[in-house]
């Protein structure tokens, strides 16, 4: 148990579907992150939120839409994805932007 | 630019062997350094960290020393176990930045 919980753990969706990934942290942290982990590629930082405000978007396509309603919850809304978007999506949180991050177990997404 | 370079994997060792996974970094500023571990089907877990030069981080028999003069943070363990089989990531964060910079990961397999 890392204090960061992601749901669902596995998701299969069609290219025309809309789904959402959820992340919840129980650590009292102020910063939250979405990362994408694809096979044989480095970890890619997608979005950063600090005190509920988005502070970084690493040129992520608009078919990925993040939402951070409070410092404990982070969502990633997905629509009209492509098969190449299949990956492990990792959520993380940290006390501040300058300290180590704690990761959830990830959502394994498959787009068919 | 800012980057982390890790030893190419995969690395395969026998149980009780000595482990070294090399990590060097390029950073503008004075980073804090981390090793993360990812077990199969899981997210990343913080393994150890060091925040200033000559600090030694240690956990679960693993050690790494912050070497500012060589910009390195090599991971070592004296006697590995089958349960150490995982992917290991070296990473850093710089004061004032807002994201971890990760290496590409090194897959370690320990055979009984």
């Amino acid at each position: 148990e890392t204090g960061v919980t992601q749901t669902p753990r596995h998701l299969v969706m069609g290219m025309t579907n809309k789904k959402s990934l959820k992340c919840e942290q129980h650590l009292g942290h102020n910063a939250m992150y979405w990362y994408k982990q694809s096979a044989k590629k480095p970890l890619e930082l997608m979005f950063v939120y600090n005190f509920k405000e988005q502070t970084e978007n690493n040129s992520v396509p608009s078919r990925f839409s993040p939402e951070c309603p409070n410092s404990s919850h982070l969502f990633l809304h997905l629509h009209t994805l492509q098969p190449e978007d299949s990956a492990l999506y990792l959520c993380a949180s940290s006390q501040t932007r300058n300290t180590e991050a704690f990761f959830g177990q990830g959502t394994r997404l498959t787009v068919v | 630019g800012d980057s982390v370079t890790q030893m190419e994997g995969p690395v395969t060792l026998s149980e009780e062997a000595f482990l070294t996974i090399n990590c060097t970094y390029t950073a503008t500023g004075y980073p804090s350094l981390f090793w993360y571990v990812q077990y199969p089907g899981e997210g990343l877990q913080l393994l150890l960290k060091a925040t200033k030069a000559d600090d030694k981080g240690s956990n679960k028999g693993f050690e790494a020393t912050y070497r500012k003069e060589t910009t390195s943070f090599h991971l070592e363990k004296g006697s590995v176990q089958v349960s150490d089989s995982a992917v290991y990531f070296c990473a850093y964060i710089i004061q004032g930045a807002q994201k971890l910079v990760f290496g590409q990961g090194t897959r370690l397999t320990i055979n009984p």
Side-chain angles (χ1 to χ4, degrees):
Chain A
E1 175 57 52
T2 65
V4 181
T5 303
Q6 288 187 244
T7 54
R9 291 291 309 274
H10 300 273
L11 178 63
V12 178
M13 60 185 289
M15 289 189 284
T16 58
N17 290 160
K18 289 184 179 182
K19 296 287 184 183
S20 295
L21 310 185
K22 179 182 176 183
C23 176
E24 182 174 2
Q25 59 99 356
H26 314 278
L27 301 169
H29 290 166
N30 299 314
M32 295 188 78
Y33 313 80
W34 280 116
Y35 284 85
K36 177 182 179 182
Q37 186 178 32
S38 304
K40 300 183 180 179
K41 291 178 71 174
L43 273 166
E44 301 172 55
L45 178 65
M46 301 174 72
F47 301 104
V48 180
Y49 277 82
N50 194 43
F51 290 98
K52 304 188 297 178
E53 299 298 320
Q54 186 180 130
T55 56
E56 186 154 341
N57 175 340
N58 272 345
S59 304
V60 180
S62 60
R63 58 186 183 269
F64 295 91
S65 175
E67 179 189 1
C68 189
N70 54 62
S71 291
S72 298
H73 294 85
L74 184 65
F75 295 90
L76 188 63
H77 304 300
L78 316 170
H79 63 98
T80 59
L81 295 191
Q82 304 299 310
E84 60 265 29
D85 297 322
S86 299
L88 182 67
Y89 288 84
L90 293 165
C91 174
S93 70
S94 63
Q95 179 60 39
T96 69
R97 295 176 302 171
N98 301 323
T99 58
E100 66 268 27
F102 292 83
F103 285 79
Q105 293 180 303
T107 295
R108 172 68 63 186
L109 174 67
T110 304
V111 181
V112 297
Chain B
D2 297 339
S3 66
V4 177
T5 302
Q6 282 183 238
M7 180 176 179
E8 287 264 349
V11 174
T12 303
L13 296 172
S14 298
E15 206 166 20
E16 299 184 3
F18 184 87
L19 169 70
T20 300
I21 300 178
N22 290 336
C23 171
T24 57
Y25 64 90
T26 303
T28 52
Y30 198 174
S32 294
L33 304 175
F34 309 95
W35 276 100
Y36 282 83
V37 58
Q38 185 177 31
Y39 298 103
E42 302 292 325
L44 276 67
Q45 299 176 26
L46 180 64
L47 180 60
L48 52 85
K49 68 177 183 180
T51 58
K52 61 183 188 294
D54 299 325
D55 268 1
K56 179 185 283 187
S58 61
N59 186 24
K60 299 181 180 180
F62 291 89
E63 294 183 337
T65 301
Y66 190 142
R67 301 290 187 197
K68 188 179 179 185
E69 64 277 10
T70 54
T71 62
S72 65
F73 193 53
H74 303 322
L75 183 68
E76 296 182 335
K77 186 173 184 180
S79 177
V80 292
Q81 306 300 313
V82 173
S83 57
D84 294 327
S85 298
V87 181
Y88 292 81
F89 293 89
C90 185
Y92 72 75
I93 194 164
I94 297 174
Q95 187 70 23
Q98 59 178 357
K99 61 182 181 182
L100 285 165
V101 178
F102 282 94
Q104 76 273 26
T106 302
R107 182 173 299 279
L108 173 67
T109 301
I110 307 301
N111 294 320

